[in-house]
Amino acid sequence: MATKANLELVRENNRKLVLQTLFNAEQTARSLISKEVGLQRSTVSSIFVDLEEEGFVQELGIGESSNLGGRKPNVIRFNRNYGYVLAFDMGVRHLRYTVNRLSGEIISDGAVGIKSKNVSIVFDEMIKIINEIEISDTINGLVGIAVAVHAPVFENKIVYSPFFEFANFDLVSELEKVANVPVVIENEANLAATFYRDYHVYEQEESYKDFLALNIHNGIGVGIVCENHIFRGVDGLAGEVGRTIMFGEGTNILKCGETPRLEDLYSENAIIDRAAKLKNVAHISRKEFLDLIKAKDTAILPLLAEWQMAIAAFIYNINQIYAPEAIFISSRIFDNFPEIAAETLDKVERLDSVHKPKLIVSNSSVHDSSMLGGVALISRVVLGLKGYELKFSL
């Protein structure tokens, strides 16, 4: 029995290697996969029988023969029409979503407004979106769902959430019951880091294996990649940098007795709330806030300067702690005002760290990067390739 079990394990591992190689190739041939994974052609051929039956293989036609002549190979690739996955980003005011092929390509996307912290109401909106999706060109239809949340996650469960009430509603279980597909939930900064690792959208020849993904949004979080793996820490609490204690300029705005934390002062939500107080209004929207920056409002400019210095100092500090190869930064302010991004990164440079990582302002919004990271995460689950290096494309 032990021998049979070992043989089955070896075959399953070989199957995963073949599927991984097929997935990562733009186009290939069975003989090339055999060489790349170091397996006999007969072994690879046997595995392909199963992969073809499962719908993972797409035939592209006859390719060119090698320089040595011989039979022209059948060109194949991973079947883009195997199925599609759905990824959500649960923002405070919007539920965003993207529908993608397992290989990463976007089919469609959209967003709906959210006016409640009650997760069951958000769940109802998710079900509406699931039911409205019409994708007719895939073999298996919807095969998995990913949810990005602005909260720490451990073993597919929310640890705590400052934005939604999860305590009495198991979102993952309810989605799995209705959709009948696997569902993963993960912290949005971790998913952003997954996106940068797996999609390789930045204009660099080298691939970073040790980097940070800094998201400045409703809160402030960091996704940490060490040796190409997401580092989650105990109970998934690594990267909760928004809870960093702050002292000095800005902390006097908090109520007496409150602990001054980074995201209470300098997250997107916090800086907008502070802007509203400076303008003596109850509330301003994100668009109104960006418009005030664009107009160089005299009340807002000092606040913006304080924010830039605080963010620059924080980037410097996390660099001292992690010494990463690169830091990817997502911020709506940076998205809309490249000159502010440049000024802030110049401040980081002038702080003169011994270690100087590559500082990359993301071209992808915090929502897009988190959702696409979710696509990569759930695709691995569907394929049975958790922990395997996969290359995704847009």
Side-chain angles (χ1 to χ4, degrees):
M1 292 295 292
T3 301
K4 182 179 179 180
N6 288 338
L7 289 174
E8 289 177 351
L9 180 60
V10 169
R11 178 175 172 79
E12 179 59 23
N13 287 337
N14 288 341
R15 177 188 178 279
K16 289 181 177 180
L17 285 174
V18 171
L19 181 56
Q20 176 195 30
T21 307
L22 174 67
F23 186 94
N24 287 337
E26 181 60 33
Q27 62 180 41
T28 186
R30 291 166 180 80
S31 59
L32 293 177
I33 288 180
S34 178
K35 290 178 182 178
E36 188 166 341
V37 299
L39 297 173
Q40 294 181 355
R41 287 194 182 188
S42 59
T43 300
V44 172
S45 295
S46 175
I47 291 171
F48 263 102
V49 170
D50 293 339
L51 295 179
E52 287 168 345
E53 289 180 354
E54 294 174 65
F56 288 122
V57 182
Q58 181 180 3
E59 300 282 350
L60 297 179
I62 304 299
E64 297 296 324
S65 60
S66 69
N67 293 333
L68 300 176
R71 177 190 294 181
K72 293 182 179 181
N74 288 321
V75 180
I76 59 174
R77 71 174 183 178
F78 177 81
N79 189 359
R80 268 59 171 174
N81 295 326
Y82 175 83
Y84 68 87
V85 294
L86 172 62
F88 291 106
D89 177 275
M90 287 180 60
V92 174
R93 296 179 178 86
H94 293 89
L95 175 66
R96 294 173 172 84
Y97 66 92
T98 180
V99 182
N100 294 56
R101 303 191 187 281
L102 279 176
S103 45
E105 296 92 338
I106 298 172
I107 300 173
S108 64
D109 54 24
V112 296
I114 294 295
K115 297 181 180 180
S116 173
K117 290 188 175 183
N118 189 323
V119 174
S120 64
I121 293 177
V122 180
F123 167 77
D124 291 339
E125 294 295 335
M126 290 178 171
I127 297 305
K128 289 178 185 177
I129 292 168
I130 292 170
N131 291 334
E132 289 172 358
I133 295 173
E134 295 183 2
I135 309 294
S136 59
D137 64 346
T138 63
I139 299 169
N140 298 295
L142 178 64
V143 293
I145 297 172
V147 182
V149 289
H150 299 257
V153 176
F154 182 63
E155 294 183 344
N156 223 28
K157 294 185 182 296
I158 300 292
V159 178
Y160 68 86
S161 172
F163 303 115
F164 288 97
E165 299 164 358
F166 282 93
N168 299 315
F169 192 89
D170 190 336
L171 179 62
V172 171
S173 294
E174 293 302 318
L175 280 173
E176 287 179 336
K177 287 177 187 176
V178 175
N180 196 31
V181 296
V183 177
V184 295
I185 192 165
E186 179 58 283
N187 170 265
E188 48 85 26
N190 286 343
L191 290 179
T194 300
F195 165 70
Y196 299 126
R197 181 194 66 188
D198 291 350
Y199 280 80
H200 200 79
V201 293
Y202 46 93
E203 295 179 2
Q204 297 288 329
E205 290 184 4
E206 63 177 313
S207 295
Y208 298 120
K209 293 186 177 181
D210 295 275
F211 64 85
L212 305 177
L214 171 61
N215 283 358
I216 306 166
H217 189 47
N218 297 327
I220 300 178
V222 166
I224 307 164
V225 173
C226 294
E227 288 298 313
N228 244 14
H229 295 283
I230 302 295
F231 177 75
R232 292 181 173 82
V234 175
D235 295 338
L237 291 170
E240 288 295 288
V241 296
R243 299 177 68 80
T244 302
I245 301 299
M246 302 289 292
F247 291 99
E249 187 175 10
T251 59
N252 62 333
I253 69 158
L254 298 176
K255 296 177 183 178
C256 181
E258 287 186 349
T259 303
R261 295 190 172 100
L262 179 69
E263 63 189 7
D264 296 331
L265 295 168
Y266 300 116
S267 67
E268 183 181 282
N269 283 4
I271 210 73
I272 291 175
D273 288 344
R274 293 175 63 184
K277 289 180 180 178
L278 288 173
K279 300 300 291 182
N280 293 315
V281 295
H283 172 76
I284 61 175
S285 68
R286 283 174 172 79
K287 182 181 182 306
E288 288 169 336
F289 174 67
L290 295 174
D291 287 342
L292 288 171
I293 296 176
K294 186 175 181 179
K296 299 186 183 301
D297 184 277
T298 55
I300 300 302
L301 288 181
L303 176 63
L304 181 63
E306 179 191 332
W307 179 84
Q308 286 182 270
M309 193 62 241
I311 296 302
F314 181 70
I315 292 171
Y316 173 90
N317 288 338
I318 59 174
N319 176 39
Q320 306 314 303
I321 297 169
Y322 295 105
E325 295 174 286
I327 302 176
F328 293 90
I329 308 161
S330 292
S331 160
R332 198 169 339 216
I333 296 174
F334 285 176
D335 285 346
N336 285 272
F337 301 99
E339 68 279 11
I340 293 176
E343 289 171 5
T344 306
L345 298 192
D346 182 62
K347 292 179 187 296
V348 178
E349 180 67 25
R350 285 190 277 117
L351 291 172
D352 199 25
S353 173
V354 173
H355 171 66
K356 297 184 183 297
K358 184 73 174 178
L359 301 178
I360 304 170
V361 176
S362 176
N363 290 327
S364 303
S365 74
V366 65
H367 313 292
D368 291 341
S369 58
S370 295
M371 289 190 295
L372 292 172
V375 169
L377 182 62
I378 189 60
S379 292
R380 281 184 170 84
V381 172
V382 172
L383 296 170
L385 294 177
K386 292 175 67 176
Y388 282 71
E389 184 176 339
L390 298 179
K391 300 174 183 177
F392 292 83
S393 57
L394 293 174

